[in-house]
Amino acid sequence: MNNENPLGISDRVRDLARQAQEDISAQFARIDEIAEYNTQKVLSAFQTHRVAESYFAGTTGYGYDDQGRDELDKIYADIFGTEDALVRIQFVNGTHAIASALYGALKPGETLVSAVGAPYDTLLGVIGVTGEEPGSLKSYGIGYRQVDITPDDQPDRAGLAQAVREPGVKAVLIQRSKGYSTRATLSVAEIGELISIVKENNPDAAVIVDNCYGEFVETVEPSQVGADLIVGSLIKNPGGGLAPTGGYIAGRHDLVEAAAMRLTVPGIGRECGSTLGNNRALYQGLFLAPHTVAQAVKTAVFGARMMELMGYDTEPTSQQTRHDIIQMVSLHTPEAVERFCRGIQSGSPVDSFVTPIPWDMPGYDCPVIMAAGAFIQGASIELSADAPMRPPYTVYLQGGLTYPSGKTGIMLAAEELLKAEQ
């Protein structure tokens, strides 16, 4: 090992990194301010609910009377400004949590509207747009409409107003993050505007926000601008890199209860669900989440500036205000996508020796490549990069438990891209 340069990063890449770091100092100051505010918000909730060592004890079997689990629900509700919340390791991923929210909010004969185009790929099977698996919303007689974004990648506000006025519309899904689309991530303010449009035209429709990748990036959450439910994954932002699995739903009490009945069964709902010794990780992860999210946002900003200096297009740009942890980079060719993901994988603390290759992942309509050398399998709050292998060959970067490690991963990705020029 070279003690001065243990990873063998070239002088050219180090020079680019120094320039990028100088160019984004103002962004970092803003990110730190947000992290400080959100840390205080989380700390206040912990103190209000008198978090104690006894909350960390786990339960087995049915999980009745799990005080730590039940108090964590209240803490999430406090932080997100909602009537109720459901935080459970029994949610296998964010898609499962969102599906539970949708099944709880909709009955046969009613209609779901997606407000900003098609939702994330894995939700299409839940809705029944793709696949023939049993149990989709479609198979239960629940209709679906989507309001596509405009040609300039903006929400179609007039189209949304018209769509929610249609008979039978009882739920509207707003996806905060871009998923695998090329539109910009929605700010909380923009989500609030869309919610106002829905409520003005259909007061009875429940607005459900897919909040994945967005928690703690701003100082307010969609639940504080009118969302009836917000939903997310614990192996993304709110788990702080420590939660081993799980998801959350926060919002109106009746809708949270209905989702709990779909997570388990009617008549049992949230009363069962053992925590198996994971409470400490969920609490500590939530406490760390504002800081960890800030590390991921800094990593994304640095990644954007590095790629810009190398001549690639980014969304958002390195100077734009962030609304989630995802950074999109247009690499234009499948070879460049594979090189970038190889570099990110080589900068991982786990499985750094693995070479990511595209494969047919369940729930996607084309091969997907994923670089993710994570302590928690699939944890998007840890440094990772993935891309659908289709034009325009755009890679989606997210995560970074610490900024120095995230920065290093991006420098190694830059090395891989530069090798193609040699």
Side-chain angles (χ1 to χ4, degrees):
M1 178 186 294
N2 182 336
N3 291 331
E4 294 182 359
N5 188 5
L7 292 173
I9 296 173
S10 68
D11 290 341
R12 183 179 177 187
V13 168
R14 289 184 179 278
D15 289 342
L16 284 170
R18 278 191 288 270
Q19 182 63 56
Q21 185 82 52
E22 291 174 8
D23 294 344
I24 56 179
S25 58
Q27 282 277 49
F28 278 25
R30 181 164 57 246
I31 293 165
D32 286 338
E33 288 178 3
I34 293 170
E36 183 174 344
Y37 174 85
N38 284 328
T39 294
Q40 292 175 6
K41 182 166 64 173
V42 171
L43 179 59
S44 175
F46 273 50
Q47 294 177 346
T48 296
H49 293 277
R50 301 174 67 85
V51 172
E53 172 73 21
S54 59
Y55 288 8
F56 306 150
T59 50
T60 59
Y62 297 132
Y64 286 126
D65 302 318
D66 190 316
Q67 184 182 17
R69 180 198 65 196
D70 296 341
E71 286 297 325
L72 189 60
D73 289 346
K74 297 174 185 177
I75 289 170
Y76 265 73
D78 192 342
I79 290 169
F80 291 133
T82 59
E83 294 177 357
D84 200 358
L86 181 74
V87 186
R88 293 294 182 275
I89 61 171
Q90 284 75 22
F91 287 121
V92 301
N93 53 26
T95 298
H96 182 198
I98 296 165
S100 297
L102 294 174
Y103 283 112
L106 290 157
K107 298 190 293 293
E110 297 178 343
T111 298
L112 168 69
V113 170
S114 180
V116 282
Y120 192 69
D121 296 46
T122 54
L123 276 172
L124 298 179
V126 172
I127 294 166
V129 176
T130 62
E132 299 296 332
E133 291 82 6
S136 67
L137 292 175
K138 181 180 179 181
S139 72
Y140 284 106
I142 295 170
Y144 172 72
R145 297 191 185 97
Q146 71 184 44
V147 181
D148 290 325
I149 57 177
T150 63
D152 59 347
D153 285 343
Q154 296 298 312
D156 182 354
R157 291 167 170 79
L160 178 61
Q162 180 178 349
V164 300
R165 287 196 296 266
E166 295 293 324
V169 173
K170 291 296 182 182
V172 177
L173 177 66
I174 299 175
Q175 183 173 292
R176 178 175 181 172
S177 194
K178 60 176 62 68
Y180 280 158
S181 72
T182 56
R183 70 165 173 85
T185 292
L186 299 175
S187 69
V188 173
E190 288 173 315
I191 292 171
E193 292 172 7
L194 297 180
I195 293 170
S196 295
I197 291 171
V198 173
K199 296 301 183 181
E200 288 168 6
N201 289 277
N202 187 344
D204 295 330
V207 179
I208 301 169
V209 176
D210 172 359
N211 206 29
C212 288
Y213 305 103
E215 299 92 348
F216 302 120
V217 177
E218 299 187 46
T219 57
V220 293
E221 301 291 339
S223 48
Q224 296 169 291
V225 294
D228 296 294
L229 283 181
I230 60 172
V231 190
S233 166
L234 298 189
I235 63 169
K236 296 182 175 68
N237 299 21
L242 294 183
T245 188
Y248 76 90
I249 298 173
R252 256 173 47 193
H253 173 71
D254 62 319
L255 293 174
V256 172
E257 283 290 293
M261 299 298 175
R262 294 310 306 247
L263 172 62
T264 59
V265 294
I268 292 179
R270 72 199 306 161
E271 298 303 319
C272 283
S274 55
T275 51
L276 304 173
N278 288 295
N279 280 347
R280 185 186 302 275
L282 301 192
Y283 274 88
Q284 191 172 10
L286 176 60
F287 179 72
L288 291 174
H291 171 75
T292 306
V293 168
Q295 301 301 291
V297 176
K298 287 181 177 180
T299 298
V301 173
F302 175 80
R305 189 59 190 144
M306 278 287 285
M307 293 301 107
E308 289 162 2
L309 290 172
M310 294 175 65
Y312 295 101
D313 294 328
T314 62
E315 204 298 312
T317 70
S318 60
Q319 299 305 316
Q320 287 180 297
T321 301
R322 301 282 157 154
H323 307 298
D324 69 356
I325 65 171
I326 295 178
Q327 178 60 51
M328 190 169 70
V329 182
S330 297
L331 295 173
H332 310 305
T333 69
E335 294 79 16
V337 169
E338 291 192 42
R339 282 184 173 276
F340 185 93
C341 289
R342 250 193 331 263
I344 293 297
Q345 187 76 32
S346 72
S348 302
V350 180
D351 291 332
S352 62
F353 52 88
V354 171
T355 300
I357 59 174
W359 65 295
D360 294 315
M361 291 186 66
Y364 298 88
D365 64 0
C366 70
V368 174
I369 187 169
M370 289 195 169
F375 291 100
I376 305 296
Q377 187 183 90
S380 302
I381 193 60
E382 300 187 48
L383 183 66
S384 59
D386 49 274
M389 298 303 288
R390 63 191 180 210
Y393 296 108
T394 298
V395 70
Y396 297 80
L397 172 77
Q398 59 269 318
L401 290 178
T402 69
Y403 171 62
S405 64
K407 176 181 177 180
T408 299
I410 291 163
M411 292 169 71
L412 291 170
E415 289 280 14
E416 286 291 331
L417 290 172
L418 289 175
K419 287 179 183 178
E421 300 177 4
Q422 297 172 359

